[in-house]
């Protein structure tokens, strides 16, 4: 295994996922992952540039940042790349009027968007709003269009809350793709343009950045396809058992995360304030009996 100084040579910026890396969402706003507040503080004290790259689509960017600040994280709205604001820019640029199948928590992000006479569908993690009636309405809107456009805020399969794993928007997006015979445009990870936007905001090139996330497909695979390095944490949605084993995850072909880092370990050199810790719940693949 290459030394960490070699793996991290030339890194000038860190992209951090939020859900599953900084905190687990859930009732009452969720809870911070142990050690993550301190780890972020160490990153902020280092010479590295830091930006947050999330697929969160149940909370507005402002509400998400407010929640994280309340938990003790040093974070501001301007540091967060989120799919709802990015989608609004696309809608305005292309003159699209969406039918919104979204969570009420992000509806405010679309307040300035014309939704009359829809000529596209925007789908996000709508939670309890993913009823048959609402899914069928989105299907009907798409089928009535000569050139149907489906925009999905991320395409994750599932995520972790404090109560357990939760089905994500990707399953519902796939259903509409199948029923309508179309391909969704993804605004969020793992779309290359989404990562490039975050890198541009941070002011670093892809080879100078590293992505830290819990999703082998959206975080690790997406980042590496953009030329970035990537670390997968063993918190959040990561599973040692079953389908999250490297190489068996659908869509993870070619993704090779570096050994997983721990937010509770102490800094080890100037390169990256998060370093491997075998005693931590964020351990490298293969360090427990359930890994293969």
């Amino acid at each position: 295994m290459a030394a960490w100084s070699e793996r991290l040579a030339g890194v000038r910026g860190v992209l951090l996922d939020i859900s599953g890396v900084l905190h687990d969402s859930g009732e009452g706003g969720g809870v911070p992952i142990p050690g993550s507040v301190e780890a972020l503080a160490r990153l902020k004290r280092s010479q590295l540039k830091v930006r947050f790259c999330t697929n969160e689509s149940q909370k507005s960017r402002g509400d998400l940042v407010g929640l994280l600040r309340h938990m003790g994280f040093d974070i501001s709205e301007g540091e967060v790349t989120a799919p709802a604001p990015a989608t609004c820019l696309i809608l305005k640029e292309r003159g699209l009027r969406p039918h919104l199948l979204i969570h009420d928590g992000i509806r405010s992000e679309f307040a300035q968007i014309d939704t009359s006479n829809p000529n596209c569908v925007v789908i996000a993690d709508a939670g309890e709003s993913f009823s048959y009636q609402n899914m069928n309405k989105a299907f009907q809107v798409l089928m009535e269009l000569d050139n149907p456009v489906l925009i999905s805020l991320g395409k994750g399969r599932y995520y972790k809350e404090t109560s357990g794993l939760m089905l994500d928007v990707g399953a519902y997006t796939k259903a509409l793709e199948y029923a309508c015979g179309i391909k969704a445009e993804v605004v969020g990870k793992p779309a290359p343009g989404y990562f490039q936007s975050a890198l541009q905001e941070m002011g670093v090139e892809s080879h100078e950045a590293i992505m830290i996330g819990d999703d082998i497909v959206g975080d690790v695979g997406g980042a590496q396809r953009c030329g970035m390095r990537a670390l997968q944490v063993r918190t959040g949605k990561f599973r040692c058992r079953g389908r999250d084993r490297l190489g068996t995850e659908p869509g993870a072909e070619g993704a090779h995360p570096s050994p997983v880092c721990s937010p509770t370990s102490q800094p080890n050199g100037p390169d990256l304030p998060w370093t491997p810790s075998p005693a931590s719940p964020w351990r490298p693949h293969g360090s427990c009996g359930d890994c293969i």
Side-chain angles (χ1 to χ4, degrees):
M1 181 183 299
W4 275 84
S5 59
E6 297 176 22
R7 287 180 177 273
L8 302 174
V11 170
R12 295 179 52 234
V14 178
L15 284 182
L16 285 172
D17 186 20
I18 292 178
S19 177
V21 175
L22 298 185
H23 80 123
D24 283 327
S25 57
E27 187 175 354
V31 295
I33 290 169
S36 57
V37 173
E38 294 79 8
L40 178 59
R42 290 200 300 272
L43 274 176
K44 289 293 190 78
R45 291 195 299 269
S46 75
Q47 299 300 310
L48 296 167
K49 296 183 178 182
V50 179
R51 188 165 183 85
F52 306 89
C53 190
T54 179
N55 276 358
E56 173 63 55
S57 63
Q58 285 198 355
K59 300 179 184 69
S60 69
R61 182 163 54 178
D63 287 346
L64 176 62
V65 168
L67 173 67
L68 293 170
R69 290 182 66 86
H70 182 71
M71 291 180 181
F73 291 102
D74 179 7
I75 184 173
S76 65
E77 281 193 55
E79 295 175 305
V80 179
T81 297
T87 299
C88 288
L89 290 176
I90 291 171
L91 295 173
K92 291 177 180 179
E93 289 172 358
R94 294 167 55 180
L96 293 172
R97 303 179 304 277
H99 169 79
L100 297 173
L101 179 48
I102 61 176
H103 194 279
D104 286 343
I106 64 166
R107 204 164 290 277
S108 62
E109 299 272 26
F110 294 86
Q112 303 303 315
I113 299 296
D114 181 7
T115 57
S116 63
N117 190 25
N119 58 4
C120 73
V121 167
V122 169
I123 184 172
D125 181 10
E128 297 298 326
S129 293
F130 276 136
S131 64
Y132 173 80
Q133 180 180 5
N134 289 341
M135 282 290 289
N136 197 54
K137 177 59 179 177
F139 163 73
Q140 290 173 338
V141 170
L142 289 167
M143 291 299 285
E144 291 170 359
L145 297 172
D146 292 334
N147 297 296
V149 175
L150 174 61
I151 298 176
S152 180
L153 275 63
K155 208 174 183 181
R157 296 168 301 112
Y158 61 87
Y159 56 94
K160 183 177 180 292
E161 288 195 347
T162 53
S163 60
L165 297 179
M166 311 294 289
L167 200 61
D168 205 351
V169 64
Y172 301 94
T173 299
K174 282 288 189 181
L176 291 176
E177 286 181 326
Y178 174 72
C180 300
I182 60 176
K183 187 75 171 176
E185 301 178 24
V186 179
V187 180
K189 300 172 292 186
Y194 195 67
F195 282 108
Q196 290 299 332
S197 175
L199 290 171
Q200 289 172 8
E201 290 288 343
M202 194 162 53
V204 301
E205 299 294 328
S206 58
H207 67 277
E208 300 174 316
I210 189 166
M211 176 74 203
I212 298 176
D214 64 333
D215 190 324
I216 188 68
V217 177
D219 297 324
V220 174
Q224 291 182 337
R225 281 190 290 273
C226 289
M228 299 168 58
R229 282 164 274 191
L231 289 167
Q232 185 186 20
V233 297
R234 287 190 60 182
T235 54
K237 71 173 66 174
F238 173 83
R239 321 306 291 167
C240 263
R241 298 182 184 274
R243 297 193 65 88
D244 229 21
R245 293 167 176 162
L246 186 60
T248 64
E249 181 75 1
E253 298 83 359
H256 300 287
S258 296
V260 184
C261 59
S262 165
T264 59
S265 59
Q266 294 300 313
N268 182 20
D271 296 299
L272 190 65
W274 278 353
T275 56
S277 172
S280 165
W282 290 7
R283 298 181 299 242
H285 283 286
S287 62
C288 75
D290 294 330
C291 292
I292 59 172

